Structures are given as C-alpha cells and as structure tokens.
Amino acid sequence: MLFIFSLRRYILEINLDRIIEQFNLMSNVGIDSNGGITRLALSQEDKEARDLLVSWMKNVGLSIRVDDVGNIYGRREGSVSDAKPIVLGSHLDSIEDSGQFDGVMGILAALEVVRVLNDYSIKTKRPIEIVNFTNEEGIRFKNLMTGSGVLSQDYDIESVYNEKDAHGKTFLDELKAINYLGKKEHRLLEAKAFVELHIEQGPILDSEKISIGAVEGTLGANWLQVKVVGEESNSGPTPMYVRKDPLISTAKLILEINKLVKEIGERAIITIGDVKVKPGNINTVPGEVTFLVDVRGENEKENNLGVELVIEKLKTIAKEYEVQIEFKTLRSAEPAVFSPEIVDTIFSAADKLGYSVKRMVSGAGHNSSFMNNICPTAMIFVPSVDGKSHNPKELTRWTDIEKGANTLLYTTLNLMT
Amino acid sequence: MLFIFSLRRYILEINLDRIIEQFNLMSNVGIDSNGGITRLALSQEDKEARDLLVSWMKNVGLSIRVDDVGNIYGRREGSVSDAKPIVLGSHLDSIEDSGQFDGVMGILAALEVVRVLNDYSIKTKRPIEIVNFTNEEGIRFKNLMTGSGVLSQDYDIESVYNEKDAHGKTFLDELKAINYLGKKEHRLLEAKAFVELHIEQGPILDSEKISIGAVEGTLGANWLQVKVVGEESNSGPTPMYVRKDPLISTAKLILEINKLVKEIGERAIITIGDVKVKPGNINTVPGEVTFLVDVRGENEKENNLGVELVIEKLKTIAKEYEVQIEFKTLRSAEPAVFSPEIVDTIFSAADKLGYSVKRMVSGAGHNSSFMNNICPTAMIFVPSVDGKSHNPKELTRWTDIEKGANTLLYTTLNLMT
C-alpha cells in the first residue's frame, strides 16, 4: 500500500501508446485476411513472434535465456542478486483463426512494466523475469500449456519431444527447426511469485462492467468420451416400440448431464461439445452415438463430484433405455487454487488505483494453473467484450488494458518485499 | 378361391430348390468378403445381375424389353392378347454392404411362378410380366425408386438422366455404359395388377411368428433438415447462465419430437438419424447444430399431421431456449394405400394355403408405392429374422420364402379373371 502512494507521487504509470505500438507489430505476425491470428506453436509464425519478443527484450536490457522446452526468459536483475524473482508472462502462440489479444497481452504488459521501471531508473530488490511459454494452446501438439507443464513436471520432456503434429513432425524437430531448443539448466525452478495478465475470454467482467479480475484459481477440467450403443435398423420398417435408439438416450443424457451443474457448484460448468452419430443416415435408426463431455469444478471436491455425477447418470440412463454405455477419460486436470496473498495484492492494487475489481475464478486453464505448482501464483483478468475469444472478434478495450497493465505494475512492486 | 382348390388337386406349387439355386448364383454378384452385397445401381455388378436375369427370362421363354429408364421386362403372353397384364417384380440393385434377400426375392419368386405355369403348360388369360426396376435404393443416384417413379411420372426422365453420382458420372451415361438404355415406348403404361413380394425388413412378422404379410400400403415419408443456431463460446470461461447452447435445444427437440408419434398414429414413426455439431470441439459451446428428421404416417392425414407437429415443436423450443431454428423439407412422399381387392386376394390365398397371415403397413417405401399410382397394387411381405435388413445379417427363412412364393403364385392366378 505504502508503495502505491509513494510511487503515485512520481506519477509512475504505464504508457499505453508503447503497448499499442508493440501490439500492432505483433498482430502482423500470422494475421489472416479476416483479422484472425494463426500462430500455431513452433510454426514459422511462432518463430517470427518469438524473434520479435527477443528483440524487444534486448532493447529493454533484459538478458535472454531459452530452456529445453523452448520457453523464453528475459531477466532484469534486482539489487539482491540471489533473491527469488518475480515472474511475469504468458504466451504468444494461438489456435487457428484466433483473436489478437489472447496470451499476447500478458507479455506486452510485462514488457511495459520493465520499461516504466527503466524510465524511472528504479532498481527493484528482486529480479524480474518475463517468460513466454511454449505451446499454451495445445492445438498443433496436444499437450495443453506444454511450457509451464514441463516446468511443473506435469509433463515429461521426452514425451513432449516425441509428440507429433498432424503431419508427423515431432515437437523436438520443430523446436530445433525454429532455433528455440535451449538448455534444461535454463528452466525456471523457483520464484517469489508468478503473475499472468490475460484476457478473461468470458463475459463476466464485461457484463458486470468491471475492469479487473483478481483471479483466485482455475477450474479443474475432466474430459470424457462417451459411447452409447443401441441397435441400428431401417427407420421405416422398424416400429417405435422395438427400437433401441442410442440417439434418444443421448438426448436424454445431454439434458440430464446439463442439469447436474446445479448440484456441483455455482461456477461449475458442463459442456457437451460434440456428438457423432453412426451411421448417420436420415432413414436409419442409429446404432451408435459418441459424445464428448467437459466437466469443470472450482475445487477438487467439485471436480470429482462432477465426474461422479456424470458417470452415475450414464449408468442410470443406460439401464432405463436398455443401451450399452462405455466411457473413457480423455483428460483430467486438477483445479488450481492460487495464492491468496497475491490475489489480495492484485485486488488491493487495482482498488487503490481506483479501478473496479472483483475476485473471480477462471473457467479456462492457463499457464498459471501449472506455475501454481512451483511458486505462489495469481492472474489478472481484463474484460473480453461480449465474452468473445478464440476468434477474430476477440476484443479488449484499451482503457481496460491500461488499467490491467497498471495493476500488474503495482502488483509487481508490492511483491518485491 | 375356386382356383386354389381346383389347382391344389394338380399339386400346383412352387419348387423351392429352383429358387435357391438362382439365389445362390445371384448372391455371387457383388458379394463382399463378409457376405454383404454391394450392387449399386448401374454399376458393373448391377449389369452382371441384370445379364443373369435376362438369361433366366429367356430360358423360361419370356420376351424381353427394356425401357428408357433401364427397367427390364420379361413378358409371358396370355390367351387374350390385349388383356392387361399381371405384373410381378422388384429390384436387383442394393445399397453398399447390404443383405442378399432385399429386392432379389421378388424377382426370383416371380420367375418361379412362370416356371410352375410352364411345367403344367398352363396358359393364363392375361399376360404375365416380370419387371426389374432400376435404382430402387437411391444410393448412387439419389432418386429413390427411380424405375417405378419414372413410370408413374413422379420423376421427369430428363432430370433422372442428368443426375450425377459422387464421381460426376451421369445416370444416362452410366445406363448406356452398362447397355441398358432402352426405349420409352417399352414402358409399362397400364396393368391389371402389380404384385411385389419383398422381405419385411422389420421385426413385426418375425416377432409375431407370422409367415405372410398382406401389405395394405406404405407409410408416407417427410424428410426435414433442421438447423439450430445458438452462440459459440469457449466452454471454460462461459458460465452456464449466459450460454445459448444449440445442442441443449437439440437434445430437448429430439426427446420431444420422438414423443410426438403417439399423437400421430399407431404405426407412425419418427426417426432422427443424424446430428452434426459445429465446431464440434470438446471445450467449445457449439454455435450450430444440424439434424435430420424422418416423419412417416400411415395415411395422408397422419403424414401431414406429423410434419405439422414437428414444426410446431421446433417453434416452441426455439422460443423457450432463445435459439434460431431453420428447417427445410428434403423429401415429401405421399403414403400409398394399396388396392383392397389385391390385399384381400393375397390374404385369402395365404390363408387357404394354411399359412399364418396378417394385414400390415410397410414402413419403408417400395416400387409398389409408385406402381400404385398407375395400376391396382399390393405387396406380399415375408419375415426378416430379428427385423435385420440392409446389412449382411439380413435373413429370411427358406420355409417362409416358399410360402411367400406360393402365395404369389395363387394370387397371380386369382387375379387373372
């Protein structure tokens, strides 16, 4: 607190124009004709974005290192050289035809924090490290948040290296091809704190007209694939009373599973994202239906409860409708509960700066979910207009980005002690 | 009636062995390694099957002609040369990986009827014509029951000719390529009766242990394509309360539409045969769902009511769930109500022969549906074991085929007056 007031006398604040200038340069990398961004991990576009970042890191005097999974670090030394660093960052990779804000804003805001400190010749006690994590999106190579997941040892580096993209190219070969294979000893092993600024990607802040989210954690995510097997037959000759139609059972399951969220928790979500029908003819009673379920809870209890309730429902409906149901878990990610101290620091910084701010939980996973396993972590959310994200319509207002970056600046300073 | 008793004294009955012999030869045409049949219309397999039929027709003394849609007729003259013929027949084409009985049995039973009459040197008053209709299945070229539909003028021959298969080959070119383009003046224009023996393809006769179905008509079929448009968003960051999920609406629609049959009629059916979800990612709330509805009723009233109720339901759910719903009709086929006289003749023949028989409606459309528009028509159904059809497991017991063919024989004789 003291820090904020004393610094405000020096009018210490971020310069939005510099962020916008870099944003415009970065948005040129991998831009589609419709304004969407395609910067798949370890692609030529990713390399170009990384090269741009490295040049900017050098310009602001950071010392660069790259680790064995391709994470890029830019370090600004502190006055106490062996003090654990404050780490800020996010990712530059994108899904196909994504928006311009996702990931990028966390990197650009962190760079601006360093520039402001440079402007005022402020030497902090602790080092500051800016990090760009490899393959957050998990599109080209399927491990979501690969860079932070390797740091937290949730992923084994050898498995990551051997992972192939749709064209059979391995992660390792592609990492080498873009010249970002670094050294294992360059990995970040510990930190005083990790803080990630990110767009919300959801509608909560925008609809409530709040500028800053102090993110207390991320929902856990359990992904299930469910197969419902009935009896295929010709529609016309097969009277209704003899059918064992797996699509009717699936419809019932979709409705019942959707209702379960109320029993799990206020912020719990359940999504059925795809249904595939076999054989899929207009005049054939289907024989088999497969669907995908994404269940997320705010804490471990909710997370487990969600899966239990879904599985229980599968069994009940299977019995009632006389169909066979098989399921398998495609992914199981624990919820992350972030550092209450850092959440408080973020909330307090935003509040003292006069910004509207609320504590909230992230529905999506982020690098922070894994970073939380190795050091105290929290996130700063800025609003996404209409909650739109992962598409060219993704938008965060510059006024909110300015507030987010200032919140990141004061949070960083307040974590120095 | 008189006919049956007087003929039985001559032990006039079909010879099952001859049917089986031809069945085995025909089953070799287009057979897959798993015992399934693939004889797509106008393919080389279809040509081979047709050539085999023509050789058999010639062997039993029929005079052959082919019309402009490729229907093959084999004619046995009657004692009164200008009397309208009794026409018997079905089709030799199949869907991919189909069964060995579908269509074929109607042709083989008709050929055996002619052989029996030849054996006993019986000259009937009316001519008998056996017909093999082109492209009943509507798989390679999309017009279902093309051959009979052209005769009944439900299809325009020019449109049929220009129809292309998946490889861009036209119906006309393919008809020429297999040498079965005949003359328009060869079309069947009128007949005293058309009788088609066919496997039921459903479970009714088999489950009720009845050998013969006297088919009173076919259900009408309305095919709708329904598109439900909601709002696509990332699953994690989008709380349940702000979603407009078209898949939830679709699940509700599937259940509600399925229930509507009870309001339509006892034999009405509604099938939802396919669902496609966009974008179809595990962690994306879908933006758009498309599904296909097949609605069938026993008569025109039921048929229209079915479509009305489905459309009404679409509107109600659209409003309730705040999604956009669009629909279009892909096909609209009237129910066929067959000739009560011929149905009675079939029922009576089977009954007098001592076979279990029931009046029933066909859920599927057949060439008889169109033939009914040009002459008095009815069908003889024989049981499908477990109702399985359109797959290699399709099976009709030889004892039932024998009964079906005898029923066809006596029906033919009783329709001669």
Side-chain angles (χ1 to χ4, degrees), chain A residues 95-140:
Chain A
I95 69 164
E96 284 187 54
D97 199 25
S98 191
Q100 301 178 24
F101 296 81
D102 186 344
V104 175
M105 291 322 308
I107 306 263
L108 299 189
L111 278 167
E112 179 58 20
V113 166
V114 168
R115 282 193 296 260
V116 173
L117 297 180
N118 287 351
D119 288 348
Y120 290 84
S121 303
I122 294 172
K123 181 100 176 173
T124 55
K125 175 185 160 193
R126 297 180 178 280
I128 293 175
E129 293 199 358
I130 298 178
V131 57
N132 169 53
F133 292 109
T134 297
N135 189 35
E136 196 263 358
E137 297 288 4
I139 297 293
R140 187 180 172 199

Side-chain angles (χ1 to χ4, degrees), chain A residues 33-50:
Chain A
S33 58
N34 63 350
I37 294 290
T38 301
R39 263 193 320 254
L40 296 179
L42 315 190
S43 64
Q44 277 307 305
E45 291 76 20
D46 188 16
K47 174 183 166 49
E48 203 180 319
R50 285 163 174 261

Side-chain angles (χ1 to χ4, degrees), chain B residues 177-204:
Chain B
I178 64 164
N179 268 320
Y180 279 92
L181 173 63
K183 296 176 179 173
K184 187 176 175 182
E185 55 265 37
H186 287 169
R187 287 188 195 176
L188 177 74
L189 297 179
E190 51 176 15
K192 169 71 174 170
F194 175 68
V195 184
E196 180 174 10
L197 179 144
H198 204 281
I199 60 169
E200 182 197 338
Q201 303 184 271
I204 298 172

Side-chain angles (χ1 to χ4, degrees), chain B residues 328-357:
Chain B
K328 62 178 175 186
T329 302
L330 300 180
R331 178 173 174 246
S332 184
E334 298 289 302
V337 179
F338 291 154
S339 156
E341 287 79 13
I342 305 183
V343 175
D344 284 348
T345 306
I346 291 167
F347 189 96
S348 171
D351 192 44
K352 301 259 178 231
L353 286 161
Y355 308 151
S356 51
V357 54

Side-chain angles (χ1 to χ4, degrees), chain B residues 348-415:
Chain B
S348 171
D351 192 44
K352 301 259 178 231
L353 286 161
Y355 308 151
S356 51
V357 54
K358 75 174 281 178
R359 292 170 200 274
M360 65 189 297
V361 168
S362 168
H366 290 281
N367 285 306
S368 290
S369 313
F370 282 139
M371 289 305 292
N372 192 52
N373 294 339
I374 57 173
C375 67
T377 295
M379 296 181 76
I380 298 169
F381 266 0
V382 285
S384 293
V385 175
D386 290 335
K388 291 198 190 309
S389 171
H390 272 192
N391 70 55
K393 288 181 186 159
E394 186 178 270
L395 179 68
T396 297
R397 294 186 187 89
W398 289 115
T399 51
D400 287 327
I401 289 170
E402 185 174 29
K403 291 173 183 174
N406 274 319
T407 303
L408 183 67
L409 170 62
Y410 286 97
T411 299
T412 305
L413 292 172
N414 281 308
L415 290 171

